[in-house]
Amino acid sequence: MRTGVLSRAPARLPLYAAPLLALLASLLSGNALALAPETSPPAPSELPAPTNFAAKDRPGDGGNATLLTWKDPAGLPEGAMIQIRRAVPPAYEWAEVSAVKPGVEHYEDTSAKDGTVYRYEIRVADTAMTTGAPVVSDPVASRENWFSPDRTNSFIASVLFILILLISIAMAKSGKNIFIRRIAGLNAIDEAIGRATEIGKKVLYIPGIQSMDEIQTIASISILSYVARVTARYGADLDVPNKDPLTFVSAREVVRSAYLQEGRPDLYREEMVNYVTYDQFAYTAAVSARMIREKPAAIFLIGYFFAESLILAETGQSTGAIQIAGQADPTQLPFFVATCDYTLIGEELYAASAYLTREPILLGSMRAQDIAKGIVILLGILGIIVTSLGLAWYPNLFKTK
Amino acid sequence: MAPFVDRLLNLDRRWLFLLVFAGVAVPIIMPMGLPVTTTASTRSAFEYIEALKPGDCVLISYDYGPSSAPENDPMAEGIMRQCFMKRIRVVICALYALGGLQLANNSLAKVSAEFPNLKYGVDYVNLGFKDGPAAVMKRMGDDIVGAFPTDVRGTPLAQIPMMKGVRSLRQVSVVVTVATGLIGEYWITQAHPQSGVPIIVGPTAVGAPKYYAYLNAGQLVGMLSGMKGAAEYEKLLAGRYPELGRFYKTTHAFTATKGMDAQTVIHFIIILFILIGNAAYMSQRAARRKAAAR
Amino acid sequence: MNFEFGRVALVVLFALLPIVGIALGFFVPALRARGPLVVGFFAGIIPILSLYIPKRFLSGETGMRPRLDQWLIIVYGFALLLGIVNVIQNGTRKISRRESGWPYSIVLLTGLIVTGALGIWGAVSGQGITTLPDGSGTPFKWIADHFFLPLQATIFALLAFFMASAAFRAFRARNTEATILLVAGILVMAGRVPLLEFLAAPFPPLQPAAAGASQALGKLTEWIMQTPNGAAQSGIIIGAALGAASMAIRVILGIEKGYLGLGGGE
């Protein structure tokens, strides 16, 4: 139990001795706030006191929080709680902060303010509100931190991944040949658009229902850029109905640029890229109706879809169109696989821009992705071996907050 | 035979739709009372809540909209009934923008009416809706009041008796996210690592396969998948609490157990379609091979 | 004026820098493409840094990261306005040119104008968008409850029909993989419902055996979902997450420019 100098002052000293000694102590220590607080009167000895009590700034946060840790004493009665109180030196008015159940052994005080020094006191309280001997902490002040140590493993993994990416791109730029396996769905894009041109029907491109803050939508718009260039080249009609307004704006820019780059601005029409509605099923109904009325020859369902995926794909299938779908999230993939001619699964969607353009830099980044996947597989195999040998610390290396 | 097989393979899909309609409508009009068997993932969720003590706090997050209400409503209401039976405090919130709050209000009104001895603010509270689910969860991990300064009625949380001592997700015993779409995953990948709060998820049947990966990894303590999961939960509740057993038997309201009759028939019809379609396809293939051999 | 570092940084990065970029772009066309990439870099790097650096100016409640999220919502609102204008333009064009399906455009525009007007009136007049001060519902809410919600549920309900027709047409045992898919699909569909009890219902002597078989089928189903399915889902999730991370870094570093219509990597 920590107490200050004064509380142990013998009873026989003169009355003025206590303040004099306090002043002396503060002058010597140079820190007036290190004055020990007046603690609560000693309690009955039946209730034990917690041990190893420490108060510190909560690590890895934006400040305004302190972290208290302690060890619960043995022999606590049923229903006992650990009371936590706080005071701001030099005034020692203890204010209730919280009470926690035994077994928790820590508390985060998120009502602390940066720059204010606090002292904390914890004590056991039973159901009759009798309290045990208090334990007081050293002074503590919270502050902002520059780094979250809880996320060190994630930080290392991110830095490693970026390094692998940059090295792979540098190798690709130096002329190293990078192999990328055949992806049937991407090979079929030109064929699908060619078919649409031959029979004089439009190409319908549905870029998913999520917004541009979703990485699958960005991948979809990249593929749309390629599709628009091919439709401009072949002279096929393109229709891009959108559910999300940001995606609509991006898609419009991308299609317009594609037609300009192909030297066919005359073929571009504003109504090619259109906004339908924000509601998921109203959008589905509108696009399905468009498919049935206009019978496109090729339908692309590329992006992030939810429950409407099967309705759109099955309606498209019923019109006889060639369908190419792609989604990274596995939830709707079975429906696409069952109803579409080609499906891009998982990361094939993200490989599309590299695959279609064959730009060395993009191919290099694909290689980096595969290297990272290889590392994850190796770590997984290592984990199986290590955990089977009973070494339980291994999974904790990968836990992150 | 060949013309029949060809006609079968090219059958107008409207006949299929008619059969499906009959398969769903008839069991609803004439319930069969088919039995429900429970699965490990649902039992795990049930036992986790059963192990909680009176006064513990459970957060139920309404992360779905009206379109999946027939699957998700029975899940949320079943868990709410279990908590109320055990006098576990229930905190309700809605993070799904299109209709989540309305569903939360309807469910709470319905279930709380069955427990007139429980009081709002003491035994349960409705925090209302907040947009930006990931940011809200991050905030709740540290400070629930920061995310929801007041409840749905506008009362500051500091004035609500049951919220004393429930400052963040760390003081919540388990979060039950009844979800369609991404929000259920956010609870698992963002809220759980940050605060360590255990998660039970109640996804729609189409989203359930993905959550098995999280269940196997120990990131979930239980899962109720689709209407079947909800029906299993109702069976477990009826088995543990006779009053709830009587309720589920006699209520005229829709329950997941009643919906299972229609689901059974429709599964049977679809399996039949698959078998007939494959039989016709095999027959056609055999005929083509025979013709090619000649 | 509040000159917090985070606010000033955001104004410089997302207001001043783009304006300077656009102005310079008039004189140096090569810079025109760079501007969006620079803005994209900062828009991407700030949330990543806020994951690791808990400083308040970056990750706090009024830090750069939450402000960016709020700005996204504001940008969204303007984009929504563009979308609505586009809907009205397309609708009126279809009606004036009597293009295929033009009567539906009349229905669409009527619904848009009436519902939008009621919602805006509720907000501007202070009466409330969905609930009037006396607690009753507004006309906007009536339209939502009687048109929007039932129509939404109807379209969602179509899934059952489409699933049946897809199952009839697409689940064919064309090769080994398709056969495995087929068998697994049938087992899971049968195991998730009391199918054997349903089939045995007219035959009481078979019911105990059906119940036992149903239990076993249920366990097999649970194994299929947990083991092969769980493993495959984990693999796809991890692969897709790595792909997403790679794509995100390419976008942030300006290597991936297809989504801006600027062509391949550079």
Side-chain angles (χ1 to χ4, degrees):
Chain A
M1 175 161 60
R2 287 195 58 102
T3 56
V5 170
L6 294 181
S7 60
R8 289 221 184 264
R12 288 202 193 119
L13 280 177
L15 281 173
Y16 54 78
L20 272 178
L21 280 171
L23 185 57
L24 192 63
S26 71
L27 285 172
L28 287 174
S29 71
N31 181 6
L33 300 175
L35 281 178
E38 298 253 348
T39 57
S40 318
S45 57
E46 301 93 61
L47 290 174
T51 56
N52 294 9
F53 180 39
K56 59 178 181 172
D57 169 51
R58 187 173 67 175
D61 68 352
N64 292 333
T66 54
L67 176 66
L68 314 180
T69 53
W70 64 89
K71 274 252 159 315
D72 288 333
L76 285 175
E78 183 74 30
M81 297 285 277
I82 309 292
Q83 272 185 358
I84 302 171
R85 303 203 299 171
R86 183 179 78 187
V88 179
Y92 287 105
E93 287 149 8
W94 292 101
E96 281 276 341
V97 173
S98 187
V100 304
K101 293 180 193 172
V104 175
E105 294 185 336
H106 71 273
Y107 180 76
E108 291 175 7
D109 179 11
T110 54
S111 63
K113 294 280 169 258
D114 283 358
T116 305
V117 177
Y118 299 99
R119 271 192 189 265
Y120 290 88
E121 175 197 88
I122 58 170
R123 57 189 183 181
V124 174
D126 64 13
T127 47
M129 296 319 290
T130 314
T131 55
V135 184
V136 179
S137 73
D138 285 335
V140 62
S142 69
R143 61 179 189 282
E144 286 183 280
N145 304 113
W146 273 104
F147 184 70
S148 294
D150 288 335
R151 294 186 181 152
T152 306
N153 50 7
S154 155
F155 180 73
I156 293 170
S158 304
V159 167
L160 198 63
F161 185 63
I162 293 172
L163 276 173
I164 295 172
L165 189 74
L166 294 174
I167 292 169
S168 298
I169 289 171
M171 284 171 67
K173 268 183 170 170
S174 70
K176 187 176 164 65
N177 186 29
I178 291 172
F179 168 76
I180 188 166
R181 68 167 169 83
R182 191 174 170 275
I183 300 176
L186 295 174
N187 283 348
I189 290 178
D190 284 32
E191 175 204 330
I193 299 172
R195 183 173 175 264
T197 315
E198 271 169 25
I199 58 180
K201 293 277 187 183
K202 63 166 60 170
V203 172
L204 184 67
Y205 192 102
I206 302 165
I209 66 164
Q210 290 289 87
S211 187
M212 288 298 284
D213 60 347
E214 171 59 49
I215 202 77
Q216 292 181 68
T217 310
I218 296 178
S220 175
I221 298 297
S222 293
I223 299 173
L224 172 62
S225 174
Y226 177 82
V227 167
R229 291 185 73 151
V230 176
T231 56
R233 205 177 302 150
Y234 291 6
D237 193 12
L238 179 63
D239 184 7
V240 186
N242 290 271
K243 181 227 177 238
D244 181 84
L246 280 179
T247 311
F248 158 64
V249 170
S250 305
R252 200 166 59 168
E253 275 314 302
V254 152
V255 170
R256 188 187 297 149
S257 303
Y259 274 72
L260 276 171
Q261 280 165 22
E262 284 295 316
R264 300 303 306 266
D266 51 306
L267 289 179
Y268 174 75
R269 289 172 293 114
E270 282 291 329
E271 54 264 28
M272 270 178 173
V273 183
N274 47 84
Y275 181 74
V276 180
T277 178
Y278 190 70
D279 181 67
Q280 179 185 13
F281 289 109
Y283 174 76
T284 306
V287 174
S288 300
R290 202 179 289 193
M291 286 179 188
I292 292 169
R293 276 200 306 271
E294 297 169 19
K295 293 200 176 4
I299 297 174
F300 293 87
L301 295 140
I302 298 182
Y304 205 148
F305 294 87
F306 289 98
E308 71 288 346
S309 60
L310 183 62
I311 299 176
L312 290 171
E314 187 64 11
T315 308
Q317 204 282 331
S318 72
T319 65
I322 180 170
Q323 295 199 108
I324 300 173
Q327 180 162 332
D329 189 78
T331 320
Q332 308 299 328
L333 282 174
F335 304 123
F336 285 142
V337 167
T339 49
C340 296
D341 299 282
Y342 301 94
T343 307
L344 304 174
I345 296 175
E347 69 259 52
E348 288 177 351
L349 178 67
Y350 302 123
S353 54
Y355 190 89
L356 293 169
T357 60
R358 297 284 166 167
E359 287 282 342
I361 287 164
L362 295 174
L363 289 173
S365 71
M366 288 295 105
R367 191 156 179 279
Q369 197 177 311
D370 282 346
I371 292 172
K373 216 191 309 186
I375 293 174
V376 169
I377 291 170
L378 280 172
L379 288 172
I381 294 171
L382 192 62
I384 293 168
I385 297 168
V386 166
T387 324
S388 305
L389 292 172
L391 301 167
W393 51 264
Y394 187 81
N396 294 333
L397 291 176
F398 302 97
K399 281 195 181 146
T400 189
K401 270 187 149 192
Chain B
M1 179 71 171
F4 169 73
V5 165
D6 284 339
R7 267 215 320 273
L8 192 63
L9 284 172
N10 295 313
L11 187 67
D12 190 332
R13 58 187 69 209
R14 285 173 290 187
W15 286 111
L16 305 177
F17 295 165
L18 193 60
L19 268 167
V20 169
F21 174 74
V24 172
V26 169
I28 288 176
I29 298 166
M30 297 190 302
M32 291 178 279
L34 290 168
V36 172
T37 50
T38 57
T39 54
S41 50
T42 310
R43 284 195 298 271
S44 176
F46 181 81
E47 292 305 333
Y48 194 91
I49 296 186
E50 270 302 293
L52 298 179
K53 293 191 273 302
D56 282 346
C57 184
V58 168
L59 178 86
I60 302 179
S61 184
Y62 279 72
D63 304 327
Y64 64 97
S67 50
S68 60
E71 277 183 281
N72 291 128
D73 271 347
M75 292 176 193
E77 289 166 11
I79 288 176
M80 220 188 295
R81 289 189 179 102
Q82 184 185 17
C83 291
F84 285 167
M85 289 299 295
K86 291 182 66 68
R87 297 302 290 257
I88 293 170
R89 293 177 293 165
V90 174
V91 178
I92 307 258
C93 69
L95 301 181
Y96 189 83
L98 297 170
L101 179 60
Q102 186 181 347
L103 293 167
N105 292 343
N106 293 349
S107 284
L108 185 59
K110 188 161 94 175
V111 177
S112 61
E114 297 160 17
F115 295 85
N117 55 321
L118 300 181
K119 268 186 71 177
Y120 183 90
V122 176
D123 300 294
Y124 57 92
V125 68
N126 184 354
L127 301 183
F129 164 75
K130 266 285 179 302
D131 202 3
V136 170
M137 285 172 209
K138 186 170 186 294
R139 197 93 179 100
M140 289 173 85
D142 280 331
D143 179 21
I144 292 179
V145 172
F148 292 94
T150 65
D151 73 347
V152 74
R153 299 176 183 182
T155 312
L157 290 199
Q159 294 174 14
I160 296 177
M162 68 167 271
M163 293 307 290
K164 285 185 175 51
V166 183
R167 302 177 62 142
S168 72
L169 289 178
R170 289 180 177 84
Q171 284 83 50
V172 171
S173 301
V174 66
V175 167
V176 180
T177 163
V178 188
T180 178
L182 291 170
I183 302 176
E185 267 192 280
Y186 288 163
W187 280 108
I188 299 167
T189 57
Q190 305 200 22
H192 172 67
Q194 182 197 1
S195 60
V197 64
I199 310 281
I200 292 172
V201 71
T204 51
V206 79
K210 187 166 56 170
Y211 288 102
Y212 278 95
Y214 297 111
L215 192 65
N216 293 343
Q219 288 166 283
L220 289 173
V221 296
M223 180 167 74
L224 287 65
S225 48
M227 193 182 293
K228 168 93 188 331
E232 292 174 35
Y233 214 84
E234 287 171 0
K235 178 178 175 174
L236 290 166
L237 282 173
R240 192 66 60 97
Y241 301 99
E243 317 93 298
L244 289 182
R246 278 192 295 278
F247 167 78
Y248 281 119
K249 265 210 177 72
T250 55
T251 183
H252 293 298
F254 175 77
T255 64
T257 310
K258 289 180 192 172
M260 285 310 294
D261 285 348
Q263 191 157 344
T264 305
V265 173
I266 201 64
H267 277 213
F268 171 65
I269 289 173
I270 291 177
I271 291 173
L272 213 59
F273 284 169
I274 293 171
L275 293 174
I276 293 172
N278 273 281
Y281 170 72
M282 300 291 186
S283 167
Q284 197 184 56
R285 212 164 69 165
R288 276 206 206 112
R289 279 207 197 111
K290 226 191 228 176
R294 271 192 239 119
Chain C
M1 290 265 294
N2 187 343
F3 289 108
E4 280 175 30
F5 175 75
R7 264 189 196 220
V8 171
L10 281 178
V11 168
V12 166
L13 293 173
F14 295 101
L16 292 178
L17 208 58
I19 292 171
V20 166
I22 292 168
L24 283 175
F26 286 118
F27 302 103
V28 186
L31 282 182
R32 242 177 253 161
R34 300 285 178 199
L37 296 176
V38 170
V39 173
F41 172 77
F42 286 112
I45 209 75
I46 287 169
I48 292 176
L49 289 176
S50 75
L51 270 181
Y52 302 111
I53 302 173
K55 282 280 194 182
R56 277 198 291 272
F57 77 87
L58 198 50
S59 344
E61 269 176 60
T62 54
M64 293 170 81
R65 161 76 193 266
R67 275 197 205 282
L68 264 185
D69 290 340
Q70 287 163 3
W71 289 10
L72 176 66
I73 296 170
I74 296 168
V75 169
Y76 210 90
F78 283 97
L80 189 59
L81 209 58
L82 277 176
I84 293 169
V85 165
N86 186 258
V87 168
I88 295 172
Q89 275 176 340
N90 286 342
T92 47
R93 189 199 71 245
K94 274 195 177 155
I95 295 167
S96 63
R97 292 189 201 167
R98 299 289 191 268
E99 286 178 17
S100 132
W102 69 268
Y104 301 117
S105 294
I106 296 178
V107 176
L108 171 69
L109 290 177
T110 309
L112 172 66
I113 291 165
V114 169
T115 317
L118 287 170
I120 291 169
W121 172 83
V124 163
S125 68
Q127 293 288 300
I129 298 173
T130 55
T131 318
L132 291 169
D134 63 4
S136 62
T138 57
F140 182 92
K141 188 169 188 303
W142 187 90
I143 291 175
D145 287 343
H146 292 85
F147 283 83
F148 178 65
L149 292 181
L151 284 169
Q152 207 184 41
T154 304
I155 303 293
F156 193 44
L158 287 180
L159 262 183
F161 299 94
F162 282 111
M163 217 170 289
S165 86
F168 180 75
R169 189 183 37 75
F171 276 5
R172 300 282 156 83
R174 288 189 188 90
N175 49 41
T176 316
E177 291 90 358
T179 310
I180 294 171
L181 174 68
L182 183 66
V183 169
I186 290 178
L187 284 173
V188 171
M189 270 196 286
R192 293 278 297 167
V193 295
L195 183 65
L196 298 178
E197 284 98 324
F198 166 66
L199 293 172
F203 312 106
L206 292 178
Q207 279 167 13
S214 189
Q215 286 250 355
L217 195 56
K219 287 198 173 101
L220 176 63
T221 300
E222 211 38 28
W223 178 84
I224 291 173
M225 294 304 286
Q226 280 196 332
T227 308
N229 167 67
Q233 296 279 349
S234 299
I236 294 176
I237 289 170
I238 291 170
L242 285 171
S246 168
M247 176 103 193
I249 292 170
R250 292 202 309 265
V251 167
I252 290 170
L253 295 179
I255 299 168
E256 173 76 52
K257 290 187 287 228
Y259 71 101
L260 291 171
L262 293 174
E266 218 173 86

